[in-house]
Amino acid sequence: MFLSTKGRYAVMSMIEVASLGLDAPVQLSKISESQGIGIAYLEKIFSNLKRANIVSSFKGPGGGYSFTNRDITVLDIIRAAGEKIEMTRCRGAGCMPGGIVCKAHKIWEGIENNIISYLSSLRISEIAGLKDHAELFDPLGYKGIIQDKVIYFDNNATTAPLSEVAATMVEILPNALNPSSVHMVGKGAKKILERARANILKKLNAGDDYKLIFTSSGTEANNMAISSFDRCFTSSIEHSSVLNNPKAISCIPVLKNGQIDLSKLEEAVSKIGDKNTIVSVMMANNETGVLQPIHEVLNICSAYGVYLHTDAIQCMGRIKIDLSETQVDMISISAHKFGGPTGVGALIYKKSIEPSQIMFGGNQEYNLRPGTYNIVAIRGFEAAVEELQRSISLYAKTSELRDYIENKILSISKGNAIIFGKDSPRLPNTSSIGMVVASAQAQLIHFDMDGIMLSAGSACSSGAMRTPYVQAAMGYEEKIANSAIRISLSPANTIKEADRFICAWETMYSRFY
């Protein structure tokens, strides 16, 4: 985008008008003196601004120009000055031979759309009131004029710690706590550790059948589970920490609805000769939210004498997990997915199983996971689990907001949008939406510029865009799979935020239809 001197001076002048007084007229001579712009040039600019009803003029000794209203944006001013907001790009519906649109075409449209969105969010009156204009470009979006505009729809990536959790962690943070120390302070830390272990098992109704190892994350818990066996049969939609394990064999396909093909699972495990094998099927998919039939999976595994591990990381705090009812052999959970701190997870396993070490050093955690305990995070983990029932009740209500968003989008698109796994049982807060006409990457840029935080799937790839293997495994062609974005709600999200997301979605969609 190229902005001429005329457009630049128009914005500078209006910021000056706002700075000198929103209510009283400002003379052009003051603007000229302050900004170093000639009076004659200013008269031409303000003639255009007046014609566009951006300013009003007043004659007489106290005359000058003033705002017509306080909601004037930078975009309004640039357009009133006669500037065009468009990127240099190829023209026409078909810019390649044969009427084909080039692959770069949508990129330039997306950038242009994001520039327009950003400029329309900048009110001149608010800019003039900022003491530090660097606030306009705060990378986290929590300062300055966009503070109240950030919408967080990425709770499957991580959740904000609950206030109760933060307070509990702060309470013990000043203390030197190492449960491995044999002195009195160390024994106190040991009590915190073992109480947290017992309470987490109790909240999951594990009884006396299970043990718990604290880990640094759900990823580590998944790795420890799979590494404890000779081989692991997995579905094609598991988290990368399962699929990328050297012992994992992805051989269980999923159906179009996102649930695993139970007949293929049985076919696979029926051929196993060596029983030192584990099947790993996630309880709920992190991208689509589709719930897997874990009870049926467990029945098949039990019938053929193989073990079952389930990655339940996205389920904690969102749906009920009762290990007395679903007696899987191993289960992975992580605190930061349900209002706990980052940096702590757990592998829960039946006492009859002997997990393998994947780290070596000290004798912590039954000689299986050496290293000094992150006792502050473990206490926060316990505090989050103490709020488990309340969290589940609140998350159950997010299904109404999720359905509202999905129904609006399907109505806007006249059925052209896709909700992946819509007809399957799902987590109440998760929706995977395909726009089809726009790539996920272009959509993420568009929403991010509008202050809406969401994702295109797992956040465990260091921000890298990757092949949308979950939707592809469900049988969708590459173009459709590549358009999938994920919204994952929390109980704190509102109908107002949903409406703003829907509006932003429709704005981008309308560029193609």
Side-chain angles (χ1 to χ4, degrees):
M1 187 189 85
F2 176 78
L3 189 63
S4 71
T5 301
K6 178 176 60 177
R8 185 164 59 89
Y9 280 179
V11 174
M12 291 166 58
S13 299
M14 292 305 289
I15 292 176
E16 187 66 16
V17 171
S19 300
L20 292 173
L22 286 170
D23 300 316
V26 178
Q27 295 177 348
L28 293 186
S29 58
K30 289 186 177 181
I31 300 172
S32 176
E33 181 181 350
S34 174
Q35 299 294 333
I37 306 172
I39 292 287
Y41 205 100
L42 284 174
E43 287 176 345
K44 292 179 181 179
I45 290 172
F46 274 79
S47 176
N48 289 338
L49 294 177
K50 182 180 178 181
R51 193 177 302 115
N53 199 33
I54 300 294
V55 295
S56 298
S57 63
F58 297 88
K59 296 181 179 181
Y65 291 89
S66 65
F67 279 95
T68 54
N69 67 74
R70 294 170 179 263
D71 292 326
I72 299 298
T73 68
V74 172
L75 182 65
D76 296 328
I77 294 166
I78 291 174
R79 283 179 169 167
E83 300 280 23
K84 291 183 178 180
I85 310 298
E86 59 181 33
M87 295 292 298
T88 300
R89 65 176 186 271
C90 43
R91 301 291 178 179
C95 45
M96 299 287 286
I100 299 172
V101 177
C102 76
K103 292 183 178 179
H105 193 90
K106 301 303 181 185
I107 296 176
W108 316 133
E109 287 189 352
I111 293 173
E112 178 183 306
N113 191 57
N114 289 323
I115 290 172
I116 291 172
S117 177
Y118 178 63
L119 294 177
S120 65
S121 73
L122 302 178
R123 289 184 174 85
I124 290 293
S125 58
E126 292 174 327
I127 294 173
L130 293 177
K131 294 180 180 179
D132 179 8
H133 287 182
E135 293 176 0
L136 289 172
F137 308 100
D138 170 42
L140 290 178
Y142 292 126
K143 297 179 181 178
I145 62 173
I146 61 173
Q147 182 175 8
D148 62 341
K149 296 188 178 184
V150 171
I151 295 174
Y152 189 74
F153 277 2
D154 200 18
N155 290 276
N156 283 12
T158 194
T159 58
L162 298 171
S163 58
E164 297 87 349
V165 170
T168 299
M169 294 173 67
V170 168
E171 184 180 341
I172 67 168
L173 186 61
N175 302 305
L177 299 172
N178 188 339
S180 299
S181 299
V182 296
H183 48 62
M184 183 173 63
V185 174
K187 289 178 181 178
K190 183 76 170 179
K191 287 182 180 179
I192 295 174
L193 171 69
E194 296 307 329
R195 185 188 65 192
R197 194 191 311 275
N199 283 344
I200 293 170
L201 288 170
K202 183 179 179 180
K203 286 292 185 179
L204 296 180
N205 210 8
D208 296 326
D209 297 330
Y210 290 90
K211 296 175 77 171
L212 181 152
I213 291 179
F214 285 110
T215 63
S216 65
S217 62
T219 288
E220 184 187 341
N222 285 343
N223 273 271
M224 181 175 282
I226 294 172
S227 297
S228 302
F229 295 84
D230 290 340
R231 71 191 57 78
C232 172
F233 285 178
T234 77
S235 80
S236 54
I237 59 167
E238 299 299 310
H239 188 269
S240 57
S241 60
V242 172
L243 289 176
N244 292 340
N245 191 293
K247 293 186 177 182
I249 304 169
S250 180
C251 61
I252 310 166
V254 297
L255 304 171
K256 191 80 171 181
N257 67 356
Q259 291 188 311
I260 67 167
D261 188 330
L262 292 171
S263 65
K264 295 296 183 182
L265 169 63
E266 185 166 11
E267 181 182 325
V269 298
S270 67
K271 299 175 182 177
I272 297 173
D274 183 354
K275 300 304 180 183
N276 192 28
T277 299
I278 193 166
V279 170
S280 184
V281 174
M282 61 193 348
M283 193 171 286
N285 185 261
N286 48 302
E287 297 194 21
T288 63
V290 171
L291 297 169
Q292 298 301 323
I294 292 298
H295 286 281
E296 289 86 343
V297 173
L298 180 59
N299 290 338
I300 292 172
C301 291
S302 299
Y304 290 95
V306 298
Y307 296 92
L308 174 62
H309 163 257
T310 188
D311 171 349
I313 291 166
Q314 293 293 348
C315 295
M316 281 290 286
R318 294 168 189 174
I319 62 173
K320 180 182 177 183
I321 300 176
D322 189 328
L323 290 177
S324 70
E325 296 177 359
T326 308
Q327 295 187 357
V328 295
D329 297 293
M330 306 179 97
I331 180 172
S332 300
I333 57 177
S334 185
H336 75 107
K337 302 294 187 179
F338 62 103
T342 55
V344 61
L347 175 65
I348 301 171
Y349 60 97
K350 285 188 174 177
K351 292 179 178 179
S352 57
I353 297 174
E354 294 184 9
S356 298
Q357 281 184 274
I358 59 174
M359 298 168 61
F360 301 89
N363 60 1
Q364 291 92 343
E365 291 300 87
Y366 313 115
N367 295 313
L368 293 171
R369 190 184 184 277
T372 303
Y373 289 98
N374 187 353
I375 197 69
V376 175
I378 289 171
R379 178 64 186 97
F381 194 170
E382 179 193 15
V385 168
E386 289 170 353
E387 302 295 327
L388 207 56
Q389 192 54 53
R390 181 169 71 95
S391 178
I392 291 170
S393 299
L394 292 172
Y395 263 100
K397 299 176 182 178
T398 62
S399 62
E400 298 177 8
L401 195 61
R402 179 202 65 189
D403 293 345
Y404 173 79
I405 290 171
E406 291 180 355
N407 291 336
K408 286 285 188 180
I409 283 174
L410 289 173
S411 175
I412 290 166
S413 68
K414 296 181 171 58
N416 288 324
I418 293 174
I419 311 298
F420 298 96
K422 182 173 175 59
D423 296 328
S424 297
R426 288 181 290 160
L427 292 173
N429 76 315
T430 306
S431 182
S432 179
I433 304 170
M435 189 180 285
V436 182
V437 292
S439 71
Q441 187 171 14
Q443 292 179 68
L444 292 187
I445 295 171
H446 169 72
F447 290 119
D448 192 61
M449 291 295 290
D450 202 31
I452 302 172
M453 311 294 115
L454 40 80
S455 71
S458 173
C460 294
S461 300
S462 297
M465 295 295 292
R466 48 160 185 72
T467 303
Y469 67 92
V470 172
Q471 291 79 6
M474 293 168 68
Y476 290 94
E477 61 181 276
E478 184 178 358
K479 181 180 178 181
I480 295 175
N482 275 327
S483 74
I485 59 169
R486 179 186 71 186
I487 61 169
S488 44
L489 308 171
S490 82
N493 291 129
T494 65
I495 189 74
K496 184 178 179 180
E497 292 176 331
D499 283 335
R500 212 179 101 202
F501 167 76
I502 293 165
C503 182
W505 193 94
E506 184 176 15
T507 297
M508 187 164 196
Y509 182 79
S510 65
R511 296 182 66 84
F512 302 96
Y513 279 99

